């Protein structure tokens, strides 16, 4: 059985689409379709059921993928290792949310240029969880940092770290509340404090209000800025209150430029994941960066 046909089959199985598999393999869609038909003729059994949007594997297709994929991934790792011997400096394309990438991920990867670190060139891109996962699936990125765990078999992920969310404001806002007033009064006690968030839907505020107060968030934001660093700057300047990750506002809290309005016993957490295309996680340069970030995340906790 032709290894090239199996490689194409496994990519279609993981991608769930001839079109997406063709893009990842650098082939035309008719070429992928032809290879799958050839393999189906050789086996005498259908491997996929064609749907309006993509394909789903038959039981035979699932069984073949389960048996063939580990061996093809091992061959790819061997080939990548041979390539690394000839050209030790590889480029890795990494994507994630701009604030977390700028404050945590990219500084942690500075060690990649150290003689004791892995020999990898790094190219970074920023985007929302949906954008970076779409880019990863399309082959534009090698590794993605995301707050959404990917679904399906094309992408694989593991937990990187959790971040704690805090309700913060400038000290003059906190001074308006007697001690314990927010804890006793809940969301209603904060009705007159303006809200700053990254979107009109108030995603950070909404999640905090639902988790801590079990109440809907305020109806409107006083300031909407689509970057958490801009939200932080507005809150430090006195524009109102915001829900921000601890890592981003920790220094301003230490300098007393901001204070927390509430210290709940169980603060809301958001989880970050490291995602790759299935079958690529063992490639040497990608595995090195993946391990480097996982080690760095221990200190972030």
């Amino acid at each position: 059985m032709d290894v090239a046909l199996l490689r194409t089959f496994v990519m279609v199985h993981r991608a769930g689409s001839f079109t997406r598999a063709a893009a990842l393999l650098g082939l035309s869609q008719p070429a992928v379709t032809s290879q799958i038909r050839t393999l189906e003729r050789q086996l005498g059994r259908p491997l996929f059921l064609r749907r309006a949007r993509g394909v789903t594997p038959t039981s035979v297709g699932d069984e073949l993928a389960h048996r063939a994929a580990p061996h093809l991934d091992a061959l790819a790792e061997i080939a990548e290792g041979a390539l690394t011997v000839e050209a030790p400096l590889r480029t890795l394309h990494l994507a994630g949310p701009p604030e977390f990438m700028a404050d945590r991920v990219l500084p942690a990867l500075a060690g990649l240029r150290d003689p004791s670190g892995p020999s990898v060139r790094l190219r970074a891109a920023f985007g929302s969880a949906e954008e970076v996962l779409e880019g990863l699936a399309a082959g534009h990125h090698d590794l993605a940092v995301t707050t959404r765990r990917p679904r399906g078999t094309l992408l694989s992920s593991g937990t990187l770290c959790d971040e704690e969310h805090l309700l913060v404001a400038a000290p003059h806002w906190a001074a308006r509340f007697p001690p314990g007033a927010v804890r006793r009064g809940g969301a209603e006690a904060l009705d007159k404090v303006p809200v700053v968030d990254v979107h009109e839907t108030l995603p950070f505020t909404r999640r905090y209000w639902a988790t801590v107060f079990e109440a809907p968030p305020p109806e409107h934001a006083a300031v909407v800025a689509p970057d958490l660093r801009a939200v932080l700057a507005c809150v430090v300047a006195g524009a109102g209150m915001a829900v921000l990750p601890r890592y981003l506002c920790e220094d301003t809290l230490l300098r007393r430029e901001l204070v927390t309005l509430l210290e709940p016993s169980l603060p809301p957490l958001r989880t970050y994941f490291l995602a790759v295309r299935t079958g690529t996680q063992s490639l040497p340069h990608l595995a090195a960066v993946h391990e480097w970030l996982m080690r760095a995340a221990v200190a972030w906790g």
Side-chain angles (χ1 to χ4, degrees):
M1 190 176 294
D2 191 335
V3 173
L5 296 182
L6 284 175
R7 178 171 176 263
T8 298
F9 160 74
V10 168
M11 185 60 73
V12 172
H13 185 273
R14 287 171 171 169
S17 161
F18 284 5
T19 302
R20 176 162 281 179
L24 291 171
L25 291 166
L27 300 173
S28 67
Q29 183 175 337
V32 169
T33 302
S34 175
Q35 289 188 26
I36 296 301
R37 286 175 177 168
T38 298
L39 189 58
E40 288 178 327
R41 284 196 299 270
Q42 291 179 1
L43 295 173
R45 303 285 292 277
L47 298 173
F48 297 103
L49 299 175
R50 278 65 170 176
R51 305 295 187 190
R53 299 181 62 181
V55 295
T56 57
T58 63
S59 59
V60 174
D62 274 334
E63 181 182 0
L64 180 60
H66 179 73
R67 295 172 61 186
H71 300 290
L72 291 170
D73 292 342
L75 286 174
E77 183 180 356
I78 292 170
E80 183 73 13
L83 181 61
T84 301
V85 171
E86 298 173 7
L89 198 58
R90 302 302 307 279
T91 298
L92 183 133
H93 296 267
L94 171 69
E99 306 90 348
F100 190 74
M101 291 279 285
D103 198 275
R104 289 296 202 204
V105 174
L106 293 176
L109 293 175
L112 292 172
R113 306 305 308 153
D114 187 273
S116 62
S119 298
V120 179
R121 291 192 185 98
L122 192 67
R123 297 293 182 267
F126 300 149
S128 66
E130 292 77 11
E131 291 168 341
V132 300
L133 288 177
E134 287 176 4
L136 180 65
H140 302 314
H141 316 309
D142 303 308
L143 184 64
V145 180
T146 173
T147 54
R148 195 184 79 190
R149 187 185 290 276
R151 298 178 179 178
T153 57
L154 179 59
L155 305 180
S156 303
S157 67
T159 300
L160 177 64
C161 65
D162 292 324
E163 67 174 17
E164 179 184 351
H165 283 187
L166 307 176
L167 179 61
V168 296
H172 74 85
W173 285 109
R176 301 185 180 201
F177 300 103
V182 177
R183 183 175 296 279
R184 291 191 302 272
E188 292 183 2
L190 298 166
D191 280 348
K192 297 188 181 301
V193 184
V195 174
V196 186
D197 212 315
V198 296
H199 191 269
E200 293 288 355
T201 58
L202 310 183
F204 283 81
T205 308
R206 181 179 300 277
R207 187 166 183 271
Y208 191 97
W209 256 238
T211 303
V212 176
F213 299 128
E214 297 183 352
E219 292 186 4
H220 305 288
V223 179
V224 171
D227 188 298
L228 286 174
R229 292 162 296 188
V231 171
L232 173 63
C234 289
V235 177
V236 169
M241 64 181 174
V243 176
L244 290 169
R246 180 180 288 278
Y247 80 85
L248 193 63
C249 58
E250 199 159 32
D251 289 343
T252 54
L253 288 169
L254 291 173
R255 295 194 297 267
R256 298 292 296 174
E257 295 172 343
L258 291 182
V259 295
T260 55
L261 297 179
L262 182 65
E263 293 285 351
S265 55
L266 291 174
L269 299 176
R270 184 166 69 165
T271 302
Y272 283 95
F273 303 96
L274 275 181
V276 299
R277 285 186 302 282
T278 303
T280 66
Q281 54 265 54
S282 60
L283 299 180
H285 69 300
L286 202 157
V289 174
H290 191 285
E291 182 180 0
W292 197 271
L293 283 177
M294 293 299 290
R295 290 179 182 274
V298 175
W300 301 341

